[in-house]
């Protein structure tokens, strides 16, 4: 199978090591796969140009060109890592250029048709920014292409950037001073206050009450509306004089928000509300995504273009991995590709928040599936699960993704979020059907599965018998689901798949084969995103403490190579104080956390590692899934292909059933050994579930053997202390360090 394919946004360096070396980015691959649209990423006057695909591939093969790391990868950071000034200017540019950046490739990459879009952008009237001219539009468009076609490409390199993203020159000290700006008045010169959630709510209420709506039949200007709003919302006391005029006792100006802060908060929320309304609209979805011909699934032309994500409670009861008591039903977040129908990622957790579970599924999407299988004790080949790329867009429902977290994913990872309408699951039928097929093919065959016709667990005897038969823990169930995903992608024949004309007679409708066909013939390899960058957006950011025992996070102790090399434990013992570090934690396991190194934005810009794994040093235990003739001919050919595909069904069933039988047998033996003749009881489900969450985080904790020349801290303290103590004090100290309570007394 040929692997001649390029990634969209891949950076290729030509003539490496010579004075004429240049780095160019892949912008677009035409439908025939013969031409590639590229642009030089460091030229101030660079333009898009078409290059022959074979010429680029031959240059990569002979070594005159090579694929390099994207120098603009540092832009894949959350908005919180940038200043407010840069974020505000980015939002302004993204809104202004949306007509061009969101256009179809046939329009925005065609110079003749692109001119009409640019004229519309220049003709737009803006309330919060001046009108753009053609030169500024071309500067922003070139910057957007050179920096990877993501929204963060519009970020200025500094806080004082205008439309052209260049540094504004300061006024010379000897220049003639002109008239003071309006913003230099006393009312606008205030620095404002630190904005909390409650204060932002009050600011938005001021803007909507006194500026958006008329007051006594008159629309107020911003200064008058802000002044009136501060008097009504921030006054300490109100008195009325003899003339009946209210006198407000106001706090200091430094404790109240400024006019600029109120105005910025209003426009930020107003624009976001319009975006959400457009995303939620069924009409907008039909116009932009649902094609006029064939069906909704054709919104994705190539593999990994649009992926569908969903979240649901899995209808099976699982047990505690240690006590083997029933603890409840876990949740499953699944991701499935629209074009090739592959089950690309899943996350089986106890998270009840759909957005939190989906973030873990996105992290699993980019992770190495061979290593993930090894962690579950499943051996697979890399070609069985080749899905390690993020893709371009994610289709989800209107749930937890309309959050600040989702907006950071949108901006930082170039992952466009598409939202279905309220209560409209048919807009993502592919991932919806994956839960049903998982239940029919696997879940209902396992012990503890809830029958489809079961009612309330407390009153329905069918459901009661289900949780009484529960045998699997969450790790064993996670293993079986992974095995099912591998088997589905390799062997499942999609009988009702709508084959296009270029697919007929070329590829069978099997997920893995459709994926490789898209890589060879359509869109090329999907873009690759660093796993560390994805973890920065998807994992939980928290604080850990460096102590004498090591790095302590949530009561558990970790160690890293940096802590050993820099003698952190010795420093704590010598300086007698602790310090905090920033870490990323995976809620599914406590085996390791990731130390987010100081200055991670600079390290990412310099293409240096910015995450360092920290491993557990202790654990409670160690533990190791078109005429009529042509139509009839095509039907006969598809039927013959289906019959040939069924020839591999016994091997598929044998491979999957081997893991199913082995896992179920181990789970049954462990549960029966733990419970004996006792029946499962439904009482204390909540307590059992809490214990399982804690025990799951302690599973499979194997700290790597890190060699170190650092002397043992406890032995060093003992030797220094024993030299200056009497015999009785020495015996007492030795008993204290060994944990002998009698010797201590």
């Amino acid at each position: 199978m040929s692997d001649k394919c390029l990634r969209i946004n891949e950076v290729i360096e030509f003539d490496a090591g010579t004075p004429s070396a240049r780095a160019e980015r892949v912008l677009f691959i035409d439908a025939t796969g013969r031409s590639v649209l590229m642009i030089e990423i460091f030229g101030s006057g660079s333009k898009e140009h078409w290059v022959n695909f074979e010429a680029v591939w031959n240059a990569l093969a002979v070594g005159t060109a090579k694929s390099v790391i994207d120098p603009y990868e540092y832009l894949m950071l959350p908005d919180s890592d940038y200043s407010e000034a840069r974020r505000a200017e980015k939002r302004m540019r993204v809104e202004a250029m949306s007509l061009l950046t969101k256009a179809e490739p046939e329009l925005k990459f065609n110079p003749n048709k692109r001119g009409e879009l640019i004229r519309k952008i220049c003709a737009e009237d803006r309330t919060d920014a001046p009108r753009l001219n053609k030169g500024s539009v071309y500067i922003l468009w070139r910057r957007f292409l050179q920096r990877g076609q993501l929204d963060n490409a519009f970020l200025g390199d500094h806080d004082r950037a205008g439309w052209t993203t260049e540094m504004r020159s300061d006024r010379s000290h000897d220049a003639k001073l002109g008239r003071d700006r309006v913003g230099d008045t006393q009312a606008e010169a205030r620095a404002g206050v630190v904005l909390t959630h409650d204060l932002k709510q009050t600011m938005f209420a001021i803007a909507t009450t006194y500026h958006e709506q008329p007051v006594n039949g008159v629309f107020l200007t911003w200064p008058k509306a802000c002044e009136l709003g501060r008097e009504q919302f921030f006054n300490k006391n109100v008195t009325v004089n003899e003339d009946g005029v209210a006198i407000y006792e106001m706090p200091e100006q430094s404790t109240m928000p400024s006019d600029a802060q109120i105005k910025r908060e209003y426009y930020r929320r107003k624009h976001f509300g319009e975006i959400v309304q457009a995303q939620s609209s069924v009409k907008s979805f039909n116009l932009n995504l649902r094609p006029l011909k064939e069906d909704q699934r054709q919104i994705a032309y190539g593999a990994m273009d649009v992926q569908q994500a969903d979240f649901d409670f899995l209808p099976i009861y699982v047990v505690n991995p240690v006590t083997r008591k029933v603890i409840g039903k876990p949740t499953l977040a699944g991701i499935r590709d629209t074009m090739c129908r592959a089950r690309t990622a899943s996350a089986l957790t106890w998270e009840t928040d759909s957005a939190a579970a989906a973030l873990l599924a996105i992290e699993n999407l980019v992770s190495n599936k061979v290593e993930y299988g090894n962690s579950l004790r499943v051996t697979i080949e890399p070609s069985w699960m080749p899905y390690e790329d993020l893709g371009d867009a994610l289709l989800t429902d209107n749930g937890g993704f309309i959050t600040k977290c989702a907006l950071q994913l949108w901006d930082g990872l170039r992952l466009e979020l598409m939202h279905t309408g309220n209560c409209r699951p048919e807009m993502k039928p592919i991932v919806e059907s994956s839960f049903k097929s998982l239940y029919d093919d696997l879940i209902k065959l396992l012990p503890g599965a809830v029958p489809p016709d079961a009612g309330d667990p407390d009153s329905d005897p069918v459901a009661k018998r289900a949780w009484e038969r529960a045998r699997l823990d969450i790790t064993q169930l996670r293993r079986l689901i992974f095995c099912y995903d591998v088997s589905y992608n390799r062997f499942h024949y999609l009988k009702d798949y709508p084959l296009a004309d270029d697919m007929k007679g070329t590829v069978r409708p099997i997920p893995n084969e459709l994926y490789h066909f898209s890589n060879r013939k359509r869109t090329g390899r999907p873009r690759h995103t660093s796993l560390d960058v994805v973890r920065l957006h998807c994992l939980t950011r928290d604080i850990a403490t460096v102590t004498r025992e090591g790095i302590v996070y949530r009561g558990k102790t970790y160690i890293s190579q940096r802590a050993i090399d820099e003698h952190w434990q010795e420093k704590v013992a010598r300086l007698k104080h602790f310090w905090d570090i920033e870490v990323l934690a995976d809620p599914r396991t406590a085996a390791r956390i990731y130390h987010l190194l100081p200055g991670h934005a600079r390290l990412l810009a310099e293409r240096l590692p910015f995450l360092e794994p920290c491993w557990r040093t202790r654990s409670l235990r160690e533990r190791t899934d078109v005429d009529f003739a042509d139509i009839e001919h095509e039907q006969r050919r598809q039927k013959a292909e289906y019959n040939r595909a069924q020839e591999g069904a016994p091997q598929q069933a044998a491979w999957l059933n081997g893991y199913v039988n082995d896992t179920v047998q181990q789970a049954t033996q462990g549960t029966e050994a733990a419970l004996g003749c006792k029946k499962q009881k439904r009482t204390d489900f909540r307590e059992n579930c809490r214990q399982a969450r804690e025990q799951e985080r302690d599973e499979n904790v194997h700290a790597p053997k890190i060699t170190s020349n650092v002397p043992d801290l406890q032995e060093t303290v003992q030797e220094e202390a024993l030299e200056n103590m009497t015999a009785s004090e020495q015996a007492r100290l030795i008993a204290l360090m060994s944990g002998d309570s009698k010797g201590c007394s």
Side-chain angles (χ1 to χ4, degrees):
M1 182 176 294
S2 175
D3 290 330
K4 287 187 177 182
C5 47
L6 299 174
R7 287 192 179 100
I8 300 297
N9 288 319
E10 183 176 4
V11 179
I12 300 175
E13 184 179 5
F14 294 90
D15 301 330
T18 64
S20 60
R22 67 189 188 281
E24 298 190 6
R25 184 185 300 279
V26 177
L27 300 178
F28 181 69
I29 303 174
D30 69 347
T32 62
R34 299 175 181 176
S35 300
V36 182
L37 185 64
M38 307 188 73
I39 188 173
E40 189 175 353
I41 63 175
F42 293 123
S44 58
S46 301
K47 296 182 179 179
E48 311 100 296
H49 58 279
W50 289 96
V51 183
N52 184 270
F53 179 88
E54 291 294 335
V56 177
W57 187 259
N58 292 336
L60 291 171
V62 300
T64 57
K66 62 179 181 179
S67 180
V68 297
I69 299 176
D70 191 347
Y72 294 111
E73 194 178 29
Y74 67 90
L75 293 174
M76 296 183 183
L77 287 175
D79 274 357
S80 57
D81 291 328
Y82 298 104
S83 64
E84 175 60 30
R86 295 174 68 183
R87 296 199 300 268
E89 290 184 341
K90 185 199 78 170
R91 290 193 295 267
M92 176 180 62
R93 300 186 190 111
V94 169
E95 181 184 358
M97 296 291 293
S98 61
L99 187 63
L100 184 58
T101 58
K102 296 184 180 301
E104 296 295 331
E106 293 77 7
L107 297 178
K108 62 183 179 182
F109 292 135
N110 189 335
N112 297 328
K113 299 180 180 179
R114 186 171 57 202
E116 182 63 27
L117 299 177
I118 294 177
R119 284 191 290 271
K120 290 181 180 179
I121 294 175
C122 296
E124 288 183 353
D125 292 327
R126 310 183 189 282
T127 58
D128 55 345
R131 181 179 294 183
L132 281 173
N133 56 37
K134 187 180 294 186
S136 300
V137 173
Y138 275 109
I139 290 175
L140 293 176
W141 174 245
R142 185 182 302 113
R143 184 186 185 92
F144 178 76
L145 299 181
Q146 290 177 333
R147 299 198 171 197
Q149 305 184 70
L150 69 159
D151 288 347
N152 277 358
F154 293 118
L155 280 167
D157 294 330
H158 36 74
D159 290 346
R160 306 183 66 236
W163 280 111
T164 61
T165 69
E166 297 177 357
M167 174 69 78
R168 296 192 182 101
S169 59
D170 291 330
R171 181 186 297 172
S172 176
H173 66 279
D174 57 351
K176 182 180 179 180
L177 298 179
R179 184 175 56 186
D180 290 340
R181 294 175 59 253
V182 177
D184 293 334
T185 60
Q186 182 179 2
E188 292 293 328
R190 300 196 308 267
V193 295
V194 178
L195 301 181
T196 61
H197 177 73
D198 294 336
L199 189 57
K200 288 181 179 180
Q201 297 282 4
T202 304
M203 292 162 54
F204 186 71
I206 291 175
T208 54
T209 305
Y210 297 102
H211 178 74
E212 186 173 301
Q213 301 176 2
V215 178
N216 297 328
V218 180
F219 287 91
L220 302 181
T221 61
W222 271 114
K224 184 63 178 177
C226 295
E227 180 182 359
L228 185 59
R230 281 192 292 264
E231 290 178 352
Q232 297 295 329
F233 286 85
F234 293 93
N235 66 82
K236 294 182 178 179
N237 188 21
V238 182
T239 58
V240 181
N241 60 12
E242 298 177 354
D243 298 331
V245 179
I247 300 177
Y248 297 91
E249 181 181 354
M250 303 298 295
E252 296 181 1
Q253 291 184 348
S254 59
T255 61
M256 297 183 294
S258 65
D259 294 0
Q261 288 178 315
I262 297 175
K263 183 178 179 180
R264 183 165 57 248
E265 181 66 14
Y266 169 76
Y267 281 116
R268 184 183 69 83
R269 294 202 181 194
K270 180 175 182 294
H271 294 164
F272 176 68
E274 293 174 354
I275 292 172
V276 172
Q277 182 179 3
Q279 291 170 346
S280 304
S281 172
V282 176
K283 180 179 178 182
S284 174
F285 184 92
N286 289 334
L287 291 177
N288 297 312
L289 297 181
R290 194 185 299 276
L292 299 179
K293 298 180 180 180
E294 298 186 359
D295 59 10
Q296 174 264 346
R297 293 167 290 186
Q298 297 300 320
I299 62 176
Y301 177 71
M304 312 297 282
D305 278 357
V306 178
Q307 299 191 78
Q308 301 183 10
D310 200 13
F311 167 88
D312 198 3
F313 286 87
L314 210 58
I316 182 174
Y317 289 96
V318 297
V319 301
N320 189 300
V322 177
T323 63
R324 313 307 294 184
K325 295 181 179 179
V326 180
I327 56 178
K329 295 181 288 188
T331 59
L332 178 66
I335 299 179
R336 195 176 178 191
D337 186 67
T338 303
M339 182 265 178
C340 67
R341 309 292 198 268
R343 306 174 68 95
T344 54
S346 63
L348 186 67
T349 68
W350 293 107
E351 298 288 342
T352 57
D353 182 10
S354 60
L359 290 179
L360 298 178
I362 293 175
E363 191 266 345
N364 178 256
L365 175 64
V366 185
S367 62
N368 187 295
K369 300 303 186 296
V370 176
E371 297 179 358
Y372 178 70
N374 292 336
S375 66
L376 298 176
R377 301 179 184 177
V378 178
T379 304
I380 65 171
E381 297 293 334
S383 60
W384 295 1
M385 286 287 285
Y387 314 101
E388 299 177 8
D389 302 292
L390 190 60
D392 296 328
L394 191 67
L395 181 63
T396 65
D397 53 14
N398 274 328
F401 266 100
I402 305 184
T403 59
K404 181 179 179 180
C405 176
L407 293 178
Q408 290 184 0
L409 274 182
W410 191 346
D411 295 337
L413 296 180
R414 298 198 296 254
L415 185 63
E416 182 181 0
L417 294 180
M418 302 177 182
H419 298 280
T420 66
N422 294 329
C423 302
R424 295 296 297 271
E426 68 273 11
M427 292 184 176
K428 46 183 179 63
I430 296 173
V431 70
E432 293 282 353
S433 62
S434 66
F435 288 97
K436 183 178 183 303
S437 61
L438 176 65
Y439 177 82
D440 293 338
D441 298 340
L442 177 66
I443 299 299
K444 71 178 183 181
L445 306 177
L446 302 177
V450 180
D453 55 348
D456 183 73
D458 292 324
S459 58
D460 192 342
V462 177
K464 185 176 182 180
R465 287 195 297 270
W467 57 260
E468 286 180 349
R469 294 194 304 266
R471 296 293 183 270
L472 297 169
D473 59 43
I474 192 170
T475 303
Q476 295 167 335
L477 184 58
R478 190 178 289 136
R479 179 193 308 159
L480 296 181
I481 292 177
F482 178 72
C483 293
Y484 175 77
D485 292 345
V486 174
S487 175
Y488 185 94
N489 294 339
R490 293 182 62 200
F491 302 108
H492 186 75
Y493 190 94
L494 303 166
K495 296 179 61 176
D496 299 328
Y497 187 85
L499 287 174
D501 293 339
D502 58 341
M503 294 181 178
K504 294 177 180 178
T506 304
V507 60
R508 297 184 299 173
I510 295 177
N512 278 4
E513 296 187 16
L514 292 172
Y515 173 80
H516 292 299
F517 171 82
S518 174
N519 290 351
R520 297 194 315 270
K521 301 293 185 180
R522 288 195 170 182
T523 57
R525 290 182 300 174
R527 64 183 180 90
H528 179 71
T529 305
S530 170
L531 180 57
D532 286 347
V533 174
V534 176
R535 283 172 175 162
L536 182 62
H537 291 80
C538 296
L539 298 186
T540 304
R541 189 180 295 195
D542 209 342
I543 299 297
T545 305
V546 180
T547 66
R548 293 179 58 179
E549 290 76 17
I551 303 171
V552 178
Y553 175 70
R554 298 183 67 175
K556 299 175 177 60
T557 307
Y558 299 83
I559 194 66
S560 68
Q561 191 63 47
R562 177 182 288 262
I564 293 176
D565 296 339
E566 298 181 0
H567 304 276
W568 284 4
Q569 292 174 303
E570 286 187 339
K571 290 181 180 178
V572 172
R574 184 176 66 254
L575 301 176
K576 297 182 179 180
H577 72 84
F578 307 146
W579 67 86
D580 295 335
I581 61 174
E582 198 169 8
V583 297
L584 299 178
D586 188 339
R588 294 169 295 182
T589 178
R592 62 184 177 274
I593 58 177
Y594 300 93
H595 176 203
L596 187 59
L597 300 182
H600 59 276
R602 176 184 55 82
L603 295 175
L604 181 58
E606 297 175 359
R607 290 176 284 180
L608 297 175
F610 61 92
L611 287 183
E612 182 174 9
C614 305
W615 301 90
R616 282 283 302 275
T617 57
R618 295 190 300 269
S619 63
L620 299 178
R621 65 190 180 283
E622 292 185 357
R623 297 193 57 195
T624 57
D625 297 60
V626 223
D627 57 288
F628 291 104
D630 293 334
I631 295 176
E632 292 174 359
H633 174 74
E634 180 64 22
Q635 291 175 348
R636 289 194 300 269
R637 188 188 61 80
Q638 291 185 5
K639 185 176 181 180
E641 282 189 355
Y642 174 73
N643 294 333
R644 287 195 298 269
Q646 295 305 310
E647 295 176 359
Q651 293 86 347
Q652 169 194 358
W655 187 84
L656 177 61
N657 291 335
Y659 280 103
V660 171
N661 296 335
D662 182 59
T663 305
V664 171
Q665 183 179 3
Q666 293 180 6
T668 303
Q669 293 176 355
T671 303
E672 292 177 351
L675 299 178
C677 299
K678 298 180 180 179
K679 288 186 177 181
Q680 294 278 22
K681 295 183 178 180
R682 186 171 171 79
T683 57
D684 298 331
F685 265 30
R686 187 181 300 274
E687 178 64 21
N688 295 342
C689 184
R690 184 190 64 79
Q691 295 177 5
R693 289 182 183 223
E694 298 177 357
Q695 290 159 358
E696 182 196 357
R697 291 178 52 83
D698 297 331
E699 286 182 343
N700 303 323
V701 180
H702 301 282
K705 297 181 179 179
I706 304 178
T707 58
S708 171
N709 297 324
V710 181
D712 185 75
L713 181 61
Q714 187 174 358
E715 296 179 1
T716 304
V717 174
Q718 290 181 4
E719 293 174 359
E720 294 177 356
L722 290 174
E723 293 178 358
N724 301 320
M725 290 186 178
T726 62
S728 60
E729 291 175 341
Q730 291 178 2
R732 180 180 178 82
L733 178 61
I734 293 174
L736 178 63
M737 290 186 173
S738 62
D740 187 357
S741 58
K742 295 181 179 180
C744 294
S745 60

